[in-house]
Amino acid sequence: MTQADYPFPEGFLWGTATSAYQVEGGGDTNDWYDLNQQGCTWNEALAGRADEWWSGRAEEDIQRMAELKTTTHRMSIAWDRIEPKPDQWDEVAIARYRAILTAMRAAGIRPMITLHHFTNPLWLTEFGCWQTPATVDRFDRYVAKAVESFGDLCDLWCTINEPSVYGLYNLIRGKNLMTGGDPRAYFRVIYYLLKGHARAYATIHRLQPDAEVGIAQNMVAWHPSNPRNWFDVLAKRVMARVFSGMMLEALQTGRWRPLIGRRDTIPELVDTLDWIGLNYYQRYNVRFAPFRSPGTFGLVWEPRPDHPHGPPHWGEFYPQGLIENLERLRRRFDVPILITENGIPCGDDALREKFLVDHLYALWQAIQDGMPIKGYYFWSLIDNFEWHEGYSPDYRFGLYDVDFDSQKRTLRDSGKLYRGIIEAGGLTRGMVEEHA
Ligand code: IFM
């Protein structure tokens, strides 16, 4: 076995990540399915069969995780499958998730379960979804059921995935973000999601005292387009605060200070992290352009065109941003950090090897500087259904390519590289020279 020249610590968690709706297929009782039916996806596609995890292919893909030599996988469970009607639990669905988790453990893969990854039961819409306090209670009951059902198979829990991204999705009307809807809803939704997190944290620990519980926060590297332009600097600060700073402050201090709407104190939020998860993907330049973007409060965010970036709108490939955001987390929290997502949409795999090496090198440097980083989950194991972009060829994130007609999986070069990195226990000089 090759030895790493840039080794990661003993016991470092090497993983991949997926979410229920994006891989399972056949999920038609949740609100995202409903939204997709209104044609808000690229090519108006529905998730359809996705990667057919629900009908039996999860087990095959778990073997692929093992082939990659990963030691952990972050998956989510679908609330609508487990509780298809209020207070009615579907034991068949629970048994299916138990089978998936059991297969994972048998393959030597430690599961992390995300309890909320964007989708909700459609019935929750009638009750105001995440805009009302009653949802915090309902979520808590579902969390308790999940821990009672899967606690013997899983001890690593992620309560909520990316509150800010979900909050933005809540503002969707048609195909554009933030062009319609009530901007106050963004802040309201995040407020209740954070309360949901606090309740879930307490419930999980009551039922499973040794559990390790955290949240996955998406952080972007926001930079001002022109650092000498005061408006751009302010625009950048607003974006950083609204997208992540506001949540992190609440998690650290219990103080809820939204840009718009009522301030509050959420004391039960303090000390509800056994670890903090960072989902990091890209960098954007932010500028203030009120005439170009009235619908987004005059803020425009875009990648620098001369820098490597994914598809249009996706943002710029910027490994240093991983370090910038890790430092932000470190200043606020004294808990282990997991990179709960990191990846790049690129159907031809052209940028993914470089992306992987550059970001892992940045991570290695952060660990040398004493950052308590305990694991890395690559998004994603396999190509899957991307929320708005559906099955667009530009939005393939997988280490395995998937042909969605035949369901054939093919390991990409980036997947082979990830396996090599895990086998070596880190990066070798050769990998860095070849790709970075
Ligand atoms: O596919 C999503 C995932 O569901 C949440 N984080 C970002 C990924 C890529 O857009």
Side-chain angles (χ1 to χ4, degrees):
M1 184 175 103
T2 329
Q3 285 301 312
D5 299 296
Y6 305 96
F8 280 64
E10 196 65 33
F12 188 79
L13 294 172
W14 292 105
T16 48
T18 53
S19 91
Y21 189 56
Q22 294 178 271
V23 295
E24 285 178 356
D28 57 2
T29 52
N30 67 60
D31 51 358
W32 199 272
Y33 175 79
D34 198 46
L35 199 64
N36 283 161
Q37 284 201 309
Q38 296 165 31
C40 77
T41 323
W42 181 82
N43 250 358
E44 315 219 328
L46 300 177
R49 293 152 61 202
D51 293 304
E52 298 190 336
W53 272 32
W54 198 249
S55 55
R57 264 186 224 278
E59 283 78 351
E60 269 181 40
D61 286 334
I62 289 168
Q63 290 316 310
R64 295 190 171 91
M65 295 171 200
E67 278 161 30
L68 288 180
K69 314 283 182 201
T70 51
T71 51
T72 181
H73 180 78
R74 174 174 173 236
M75 58 175 262
S76 75
I77 53 174
W79 183 356
D80 59 297
R81 289 203 193 268
I82 290 179
E83 192 180 3
K85 293 199 178 127
D87 300 316
Q88 281 185 26
W89 308 108
D90 185 335
E91 295 302 333
V92 176
I94 289 174
R96 176 72 190 120
Y97 280 127
R98 284 192 62 82
I100 294 174
L101 291 163
T102 305
M104 243 180 237
R105 287 172 62 95
I109 312 277
R110 182 181 181 195
M112 174 197 287
I113 294 183
T114 302
L115 290 154
H116 187 271
H117 193 123
F118 297 164
T119 60
N120 300 290
L122 196 48
W123 55 258
L124 197 68
T125 318
E126 288 164 38
F127 297 97
C129 211
W130 283 97
Q131 308 232 26
T132 90
T135 293
V136 176
D137 299 328
R138 289 184 187 279
F139 181 64
D140 189 41
R141 290 202 287 276
Y142 149 72
V143 170
K145 183 72 182 176
V147 180
E148 282 157 8
S149 306
F150 311 124
D152 58 329
L153 299 169
C154 174
D155 59 358
L156 190 53
W157 301 89
C158 175
T159 56
I160 314 270
N161 181 66
E162 300 179 348
S164 49
V165 179
Y166 177 74
L168 283 175
Y169 284 159
N170 252 268
L171 290 173
I172 293 162
R173 298 287 182 277
K175 295 190 183 196
N176 299 312
L177 293 181
M178 294 189 79
T179 51
D182 175 0
R184 283 170 304 184
Y186 174 76
F187 300 97
R188 217 165 26 234
V189 160
I190 294 173
Y191 172 78
Y192 288 120
L193 283 173
L194 289 173
K195 288 198 151 202
H197 162 80
R199 284 281 286 281
Y201 182 88
T203 296
I204 299 170
H205 275 289
R206 175 171 54 78
L207 297 170
Q208 197 185 21
D210 295 336
E212 295 173 50
V213 186
I215 193 168
Q217 174 66 47
N218 187 311
M219 293 173 83
V220 165
W222 303 106
H223 288 190
S225 281
N226 176 358
R228 284 180 296 279
N229 179 324
W230 190 84
F231 285 109
D232 289 0
V233 173
L234 188 66
K236 177 256 159 184
R237 286 205 186 140
V238 169
M239 282 310 289
R241 170 132 192 96
V242 165
F243 198 73
S244 52
M246 196 176 71
M247 284 69 103
L248 299 177
E249 181 187 4
L251 284 161
Q252 180 194 8
T253 65
R255 276 198 304 272
W256 173 245
R257 297 192 300 156
L259 201 64
I260 312 174
R262 203 167 56 86
R263 294 179 170 208
D264 197 7
T265 308
I266 317 176
E268 68 273 23
L269 207 50
V270 179
D271 286 333
T272 57
L273 293 174
D274 301 321
W275 52 268
I276 177 104
L278 169 60
N279 291 6
Y280 174 71
Y281 286 91
Q282 70 275 75
R283 192 192 95 107
Y284 285 109
N285 265 345
V286 189
R287 66 194 165 89
F288 186 59
F291 300 112
R292 194 177 131 190
S293 60
T296 51
F297 313 110
L299 302 183
V300 170
W301 52 95
E302 54 204 357
R304 286 176 294 188
D306 52 332
H307 279 239
H309 54 81
H313 311 304
W314 177 254
E316 191 187 313
F317 167 151
Y318 180 66
Q320 180 63 22
L322 186 57
I323 298 187
E324 291 168 12
N325 283 320
L326 284 166
E327 282 168 354
R328 264 175 213 125
L329 291 179
R330 187 72 178 132
R331 281 198 289 273
R332 286 192 186 273
F333 305 103
D334 190 19
V335 294
I337 302 174
L338 295 174
I339 308 302
T340 30
E341 285 181 30
N342 180 230
I344 183 164
C346 95
D348 61 4
D349 209 32
L351 282 174
R352 199 172 282 108
E353 287 167 285
K354 180 170 169 50
F355 180 94
L356 195 53
V357 172
D358 282 354
H359 284 76
L360 285 175
Y361 185 73
L363 206 58
W364 178 82
Q365 283 180 312
I367 294 172
Q368 305 317 298
D369 289 342
M371 295 256 191
I373 300 157
K374 304 296 177 204
Y376 177 83
Y377 291 81
F378 191 81
W379 185 274
S380 179
L381 174 71
I382 41 176
D383 289 342
N384 54 50
F385 181 78
E386 178 66 11
W387 303 96
H388 283 287
E389 290 76 16
Y391 296 112
S392 155
D394 285 345
Y395 278 83
R396 304 289 164 102
F397 284 87
L399 295 169
Y400 282 88
D401 164 277
V402 177
D403 174 332
F404 289 102
D405 292 326
S406 64
Q407 287 289 328
K408 182 170 181 288
R409 275 78 159 140
T410 309
L411 183 61
R412 292 193 163 113
D413 287 345
S414 53
K416 294 178 193 158
L417 177 65
Y418 193 41
R419 181 176 59 202
I421 294 170
I422 300 172
E423 275 175 339
L427 297 166
T428 64
R429 204 159 289 128
M431 291 166 183
V432 173
E433 276 163 15
E434 189 179 344
H435 301 290

